[in-house]
């Protein structure tokens, strides 16, 4: 049962709709490459996605790390990144 406005738990099955939103939001991003591993979803006026990703810094001193990429896909229009951070970052 889905609660309106509630967020799902992370799952490794990433729907084609979620994949499309992820690719659309990240299409012009440079400097870091993200590969989604799992996703959590929230239905709002559109959809919020939180992707758990492997990140690879593709500029000087390449590094790999785990990251969360939050994406908003409105009912009409393009998906956008709303937040992106390393899971190692301390957050308040």
């Amino acid at each position: 049962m889905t609660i309106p406005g509630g967020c799902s738990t992370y799952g490794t099955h990433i729907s084609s709709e979620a994949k499309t939103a992820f690719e659309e939001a990240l299409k012009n991003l440079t400097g870091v490459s993200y590969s989604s591993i799992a996703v959590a979803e929230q239905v709002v006026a559109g959809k919020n996605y939180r992707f758990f990703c492997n990140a690879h810094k593709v500029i000087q001193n390449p590094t790999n790390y785990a990251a969360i990429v939050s994406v908003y896909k409105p009912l009409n229009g393009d998906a956008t990144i709303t937040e992106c951070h390393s899971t190692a970052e301390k957050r308040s």
Side-chain angles (χ1 to χ4, degrees):
M1 177 182 198
T2 303
I3 299 170
C7 191
S8 71
T9 58
Y10 280 96
T12 56
H13 173 74
I14 302 174
S15 69
S16 60
E17 178 184 36
K19 285 179 190 176
T20 298
F22 182 78
E23 291 167 0
E24 189 175 275
L26 276 68
K27 67 183 171 195
N28 294 318
L29 187 67
T30 59
V32 180
S33 172
Y34 293 96
S35 299
S36 57
I37 297 170
V39 66
E41 301 179 3
Q42 178 187 30
V43 176
V44 290
K47 207 172 244 190
N48 288 322
Y49 297 98
R50 290 190 64 193
F51 293 93
F52 180 81
C53 301
N54 281 330
H56 178 73
K57 188 175 173 185
V58 294
I59 55 176
Q60 291 180 342
N61 304 317
T63 56
N64 294 311
Y65 56 93
I68 301 294
V69 177
S70 298
V71 171
Y72 171 65
K73 173 64 175 161
L75 295 173
N76 297 303
D78 293 338
T80 57
I81 298 171
T82 57
E83 183 179 16
C84 187
H85 65 273
S86 164
T87 59
E89 292 176 12
K90 291 189 178 195
R91 304 180 41 81
S92 56

